Amino acid sequence: MPSADADRIDGLRRRKKQEQQQSKKQQQNKPSGTMLQQQLKLYQDIKKNEHEQQEKIRKEEKKQLKKLQKDQQKMLKRELEFQEKVRMGGNPWAGGKKEKQQSKQQEGKAGTKKEESTDKKNKSPEQQQGKGKEEKKKMPGG
């Protein structure tokens, strides 16, 4: 029977040694566990920063896209106005106020051209030719 007690004692000692070894492994694993937690936290922080940067980039791209769309709308509106002016027969390059001023000036010029043409109609062909002769005399070498 003493051997049975000795076997129990040896078994208990072995269990204690195994438990101690397991506790040592766990203690050794704890620092690696905290290291893993730190690495995990670092990884999460990096991912969070990357996500924030991507979000900022997306917002900037949206702003640029909106600006480009507005610019495109303005350009298309100008093109439409230009085509409308061409269709109407006006000066497509004249601005709104300038176009009105130019049309008034053209009306005034047209009035003076009408007067000249009526003067020519009222004169006989001989008078018109005489006027031409006077102009020839004024020219040098003529």
Side-chain angles (χ1 to χ4, degrees), residues 16-33:
K16 283 185 181 181
K17 283 184 182 180
Q18 286 177 354
E19 289 175 4
Q20 287 175 354
Q21 287 175 351
Q22 286 178 355
S23 66
K24 284 181 183 179
K25 285 181 183 178
Q26 287 176 354
Q27 288 174 355
Q28 289 173 352
N29 288 340
K30 283 183 183 178
S32 65

PDB file of all heavy atoms in Angstrom, residues 16-33:
ATOM      1  N   LYS A  16       0.786  19.176 -10.337  1.00  0.00           N
ATOM      2  CA  LYS A  16       1.201  20.510  -9.908  1.00  0.00           C
ATOM      3  C   LYS A  16       2.221  21.073 -10.881  1.00  0.00           C
ATOM      4  O   LYS A  16       2.161  22.246 -11.249  1.00  0.00           O
ATOM      5  CB  LYS A  16       1.791  20.467  -8.488  1.00  0.00           C
ATOM      6  CG  LYS A  16       0.761  20.362  -7.406  1.00  0.00           C
ATOM      7  CD  LYS A  16       1.394  20.450  -6.037  1.00  0.00           C
ATOM      8  CE  LYS A  16       0.353  20.309  -4.937  1.00  0.00           C
ATOM      9  NZ  LYS A  16       0.930  20.409  -3.608  1.00  0.00           N
ATOM     10  N   LYS A  17       3.161  20.224 -11.298  1.00  0.00           N
ATOM     11  CA  LYS A  17       4.169  20.678 -12.256  1.00  0.00           C
ATOM     12  C   LYS A  17       3.491  21.084 -13.568  1.00  0.00           C
ATOM     13  O   LYS A  17       3.833  22.120 -14.158  1.00  0.00           O
ATOM     14  CB  LYS A  17       5.201  19.582 -12.516  1.00  0.00           C
ATOM     15  CG  LYS A  17       6.201  19.427 -11.421  1.00  0.00           C
ATOM     16  CD  LYS A  17       7.248  18.381 -11.782  1.00  0.00           C
ATOM     17  CE  LYS A  17       8.243  18.208 -10.631  1.00  0.00           C
ATOM     18  NZ  LYS A  17       9.281  17.202 -10.954  1.00  0.00           N
ATOM     19  N   GLN A  18       2.550  20.270 -14.018  1.00  0.00           N
ATOM     20  CA  GLN A  18       1.843  20.594 -15.256  1.00  0.00           C
ATOM     21  C   GLN A  18       1.063  21.900 -15.113  1.00  0.00           C
ATOM     22  O   GLN A  18       1.065  22.743 -16.014  1.00  0.00           O
ATOM     23  CB  GLN A  18       0.890  19.453 -15.641  1.00  0.00           C
ATOM     24  CG  GLN A  18       1.584  18.217 -16.183  1.00  0.00           C
ATOM     25  CD  GLN A  18       0.595  17.089 -16.486  1.00  0.00           C
ATOM     26  OE1 GLN A  18      -0.596  17.196 -16.196  1.00  0.00           O
ATOM     27  NE2 GLN A  18       1.110  16.001 -17.057  1.00  0.00           N
ATOM     28  N   GLU A  19       0.406  22.075 -13.985  1.00  0.00           N
ATOM     29  CA  GLU A  19      -0.348  23.300 -13.728  1.00  0.00           C
ATOM     30  C   GLU A  19       0.583  24.502 -13.686  1.00  0.00           C
ATOM     31  O   GLU A  19       0.267  25.571 -14.212  1.00  0.00           O
ATOM     32  CB  GLU A  19      -1.148  23.188 -12.433  1.00  0.00           C
ATOM     33  CG  GLU A  19      -2.337  22.241 -12.524  1.00  0.00           C
ATOM     34  CD  GLU A  19      -3.041  22.063 -11.197  1.00  0.00           C
ATOM     35  OE1 GLU A  19      -2.665  22.731 -10.207  1.00  0.00           O
ATOM     36  OE2 GLU A  19      -3.984  21.258 -11.122  1.00  0.00           O
ATOM     37  N   GLN A  20       1.740  24.299 -13.017  1.00  0.00           N
ATOM     38  CA  GLN A  20       2.707  25.392 -12.964  1.00  0.00           C
ATOM     39  C   GLN A  20       3.216  25.729 -14.367  1.00  0.00           C
ATOM     40  O   GLN A  20       3.368  26.894 -14.721  1.00  0.00           O
ATOM     41  CB  GLN A  20       3.871  25.021 -12.043  1.00  0.00           C
ATOM     42  CG  GLN A  20       3.521  25.028 -10.571  1.00  0.00           C
ATOM     43  CD  GLN A  20       4.681  24.524  -9.698  1.00  0.00           C
ATOM     44  OE1 GLN A  20       5.702  24.064 -10.205  1.00  0.00           O
ATOM     45  NE2 GLN A  20       4.488  24.593  -8.379  1.00  0.00           N
ATOM     46  N   GLN A  21       3.478  24.702 -15.151  1.00  0.00           N
ATOM     47  CA  GLN A  21       3.945  24.946 -16.508  1.00  0.00           C
ATOM     48  C   GLN A  21       2.867  25.653 -17.330  1.00  0.00           C
ATOM     49  O   GLN A  21       3.157  26.579 -18.096  1.00  0.00           O
ATOM     50  CB  GLN A  21       4.336  23.617 -17.179  1.00  0.00           C
ATOM     51  CG  GLN A  21       5.630  23.024 -16.651  1.00  0.00           C
ATOM     52  CD  GLN A  21       5.918  21.642 -17.259  1.00  0.00           C
ATOM     53  OE1 GLN A  21       5.092  21.061 -17.946  1.00  0.00           O
ATOM     54  NE2 GLN A  21       7.100  21.107 -16.956  1.00  0.00           N
ATOM     55  N   GLN A  22       1.628  25.229 -17.139  1.00  0.00           N
ATOM     56  CA  GLN A  22       0.528  25.873 -17.862  1.00  0.00           C
ATOM     57  C   GLN A  22       0.372  27.326 -17.425  1.00  0.00           C
ATOM     58  O   GLN A  22       0.154  28.208 -18.242  1.00  0.00           O
ATOM     59  CB  GLN A  22      -0.780  25.112 -17.648  1.00  0.00           C
ATOM     60  CG  GLN A  22      -0.855  23.805 -18.425  1.00  0.00           C
ATOM     61  CD  GLN A  22      -2.155  23.052 -18.161  1.00  0.00           C
ATOM     62  OE1 GLN A  22      -2.966  23.461 -17.330  1.00  0.00           O
ATOM     63  NE2 GLN A  22      -2.329  21.936 -18.868  1.00  0.00           N
ATOM     64  N   SER A  23       0.473  27.572 -16.122  1.00  0.00           N
ATOM     65  CA  SER A  23       0.351  28.950 -15.635  1.00  0.00           C
ATOM     66  C   SER A  23       1.508  29.805 -16.159  1.00  0.00           C
ATOM     67  O   SER A  23       1.329  30.975 -16.495  1.00  0.00           O
ATOM     68  CB  SER A  23       0.265  28.994 -14.118  1.00  0.00           C
ATOM     69  OG  SER A  23       1.478  28.554 -13.537  1.00  0.00           O
ATOM     70  N   LYS A  24       2.726  29.188 -16.227  1.00  0.00           N
ATOM     71  CA  LYS A  24       3.863  29.927 -16.794  1.00  0.00           C
ATOM     72  C   LYS A  24       3.601  30.253 -18.261  1.00  0.00           C
ATOM     73  O   LYS A  24       3.879  31.368 -18.724  1.00  0.00           O
ATOM     74  CB  LYS A  24       5.145  29.110 -16.666  1.00  0.00           C
ATOM     75  CG  LYS A  24       5.720  29.096 -15.288  1.00  0.00           C
ATOM     76  CD  LYS A  24       7.004  28.299 -15.247  1.00  0.00           C
ATOM     77  CE  LYS A  24       7.560  28.218 -13.826  1.00  0.00           C
ATOM     78  NZ  LYS A  24       8.794  27.425 -13.783  1.00  0.00           N
ATOM     79  N   LYS A  25       3.051  29.280 -19.009  1.00  0.00           N
ATOM     80  CA  LYS A  25       2.744  29.515 -20.409  1.00  0.00           C
ATOM     81  C   LYS A  25       1.704  30.621 -20.546  1.00  0.00           C
ATOM     82  O   LYS A  25       1.803  31.482 -21.417  1.00  0.00           O
ATOM     83  CB  LYS A  25       2.224  28.229 -21.058  1.00  0.00           C
ATOM     84  CG  LYS A  25       3.298  27.202 -21.328  1.00  0.00           C
ATOM     85  CD  LYS A  25       2.711  25.972 -21.994  1.00  0.00           C
ATOM     86  CE  LYS A  25       3.774  24.899 -22.203  1.00  0.00           C
ATOM     87  NZ  LYS A  25       3.208  23.690 -22.799  1.00  0.00           N
ATOM     88  N   GLN A  26       0.705  30.586 -19.671  1.00  0.00           N
ATOM     89  CA  GLN A  26      -0.326  31.615 -19.715  1.00  0.00           C
ATOM     90  C   GLN A  26       0.270  32.977 -19.399  1.00  0.00           C
ATOM     91  O   GLN A  26      -0.068  33.969 -20.028  1.00  0.00           O
ATOM     92  CB  GLN A  26      -1.466  31.282 -18.743  1.00  0.00           C
ATOM     93  CG  GLN A  26      -2.351  30.139 -19.218  1.00  0.00           C
ATOM     94  CD  GLN A  26      -3.404  29.764 -18.187  1.00  0.00           C
ATOM     95  OE1 GLN A  26      -3.416  30.282 -17.069  1.00  0.00           O
ATOM     96  NE2 GLN A  26      -4.288  28.835 -18.563  1.00  0.00           N
ATOM     97  N   GLN A  27       1.157  33.030 -18.416  1.00  0.00           N
ATOM     98  CA  GLN A  27       1.805  34.286 -18.077  1.00  0.00           C
ATOM     99  C   GLN A  27       2.672  34.760 -19.237  1.00  0.00           C
ATOM    100  O   GLN A  27       2.746  35.948 -19.526  1.00  0.00           O
ATOM    101  CB  GLN A  27       2.638  34.137 -16.800  1.00  0.00           C
ATOM    102  CG  GLN A  27       1.806  34.004 -15.542  1.00  0.00           C
ATOM    103  CD  GLN A  27       2.655  33.724 -14.307  1.00  0.00           C
ATOM    104  OE1 GLN A  27       3.869  33.544 -14.418  1.00  0.00           O
ATOM    105  NE2 GLN A  27       2.010  33.667 -13.145  1.00  0.00           N
ATOM    106  N   GLN A  28       3.339  33.826 -19.869  1.00  0.00           N
ATOM    107  CA  GLN A  28       4.133  34.202 -21.027  1.00  0.00           C
ATOM    108  C   GLN A  28       3.229  34.637 -22.183  1.00  0.00           C
ATOM    109  O   GLN A  28       3.567  35.516 -22.951  1.00  0.00           O
ATOM    110  CB  GLN A  28       5.016  33.023 -21.464  1.00  0.00           C
ATOM    111  CG  GLN A  28       6.156  32.734 -20.510  1.00  0.00           C
ATOM    112  CD  GLN A  28       6.910  31.455 -20.888  1.00  0.00           C
ATOM    113  OE1 GLN A  28       6.492  30.722 -21.767  1.00  0.00           O
ATOM    114  NE2 GLN A  28       8.005  31.197 -20.186  1.00  0.00           N
ATOM    115  N   ASN A  29       2.075  33.998 -22.284  1.00  0.00           N
ATOM    116  CA  ASN A  29       1.118  34.365 -23.324  1.00  0.00           C
ATOM    117  C   ASN A  29       0.458  35.709 -23.034  1.00  0.00           C
ATOM    118  O   ASN A  29       0.051  36.396 -23.948  1.00  0.00           O
ATOM    119  CB  ASN A  29       0.051  33.290 -23.480  1.00  0.00           C
ATOM    120  CG  ASN A  29       0.602  32.037 -24.136  1.00  0.00           C
ATOM    121  OD1 ASN A  29       1.643  32.090 -24.796  1.00  0.00           O
ATOM    122  ND2 ASN A  29      -0.082  30.921 -23.953  1.00  0.00           N
ATOM    123  N   LYS A  30       0.336  36.085 -21.813  1.00  0.00           N
ATOM    124  CA  LYS A  30      -0.278  37.357 -21.452  1.00  0.00           C
ATOM    125  C   LYS A  30       0.466  38.525 -22.093  1.00  0.00           C
ATOM    126  O   LYS A  30      -0.155  39.378 -22.707  1.00  0.00           O
ATOM    127  CB  LYS A  30      -0.373  37.530 -19.937  1.00  0.00           C
ATOM    128  CG  LYS A  30      -1.491  36.729 -19.309  1.00  0.00           C
ATOM    129  CD  LYS A  30      -1.591  36.996 -17.834  1.00  0.00           C
ATOM    130  CE  LYS A  30      -2.672  36.142 -17.193  1.00  0.00           C
ATOM    131  NZ  LYS A  30      -2.759  36.346 -15.757  1.00  0.00           N
ATOM    132  N   PRO A  31       1.790  38.578 -21.931  1.00  0.00           N
ATOM    133  CA  PRO A  31       2.463  39.697 -22.598  1.00  0.00           C
ATOM    134  C   PRO A  31       2.266  39.661 -24.110  1.00  0.00           C
ATOM    135  O   PRO A  31       2.048  40.684 -24.737  1.00  0.00           O
ATOM    136  CB  PRO A  31       3.932  39.499 -22.240  1.00  0.00           C
ATOM    137  CG  PRO A  31       3.924  38.717 -20.982  1.00  0.00           C
ATOM    138  CD  PRO A  31       2.699  37.865 -21.064  1.00  0.00           C
ATOM    139  N   SER A  32       2.287  38.490 -24.699  1.00  0.00           N
ATOM    140  CA  SER A  32       2.044  38.421 -26.137  1.00  0.00           C
ATOM    141  C   SER A  32       0.584  38.774 -26.427  1.00  0.00           C
ATOM    142  O   SER A  32       0.275  39.347 -27.462  1.00  0.00           O
ATOM    143  CB  SER A  32       2.405  37.043 -26.693  1.00  0.00           C
ATOM    144  OG  SER A  32       1.546  36.059 -26.147  1.00  0.00           O
ATOM    145  N   GLY A  33      -0.305  38.467 -25.515  1.00  0.00           N
ATOM    146  CA  GLY A  33      -1.717  38.846 -25.656  1.00  0.00           C
ATOM    147  C   GLY A  33      -1.866  40.354 -25.621  1.00  0.00           C
ATOM    148  O   GLY A  33      -2.613  40.925 -26.414  1.00  0.00           O
TER     149      GLY A  33
END
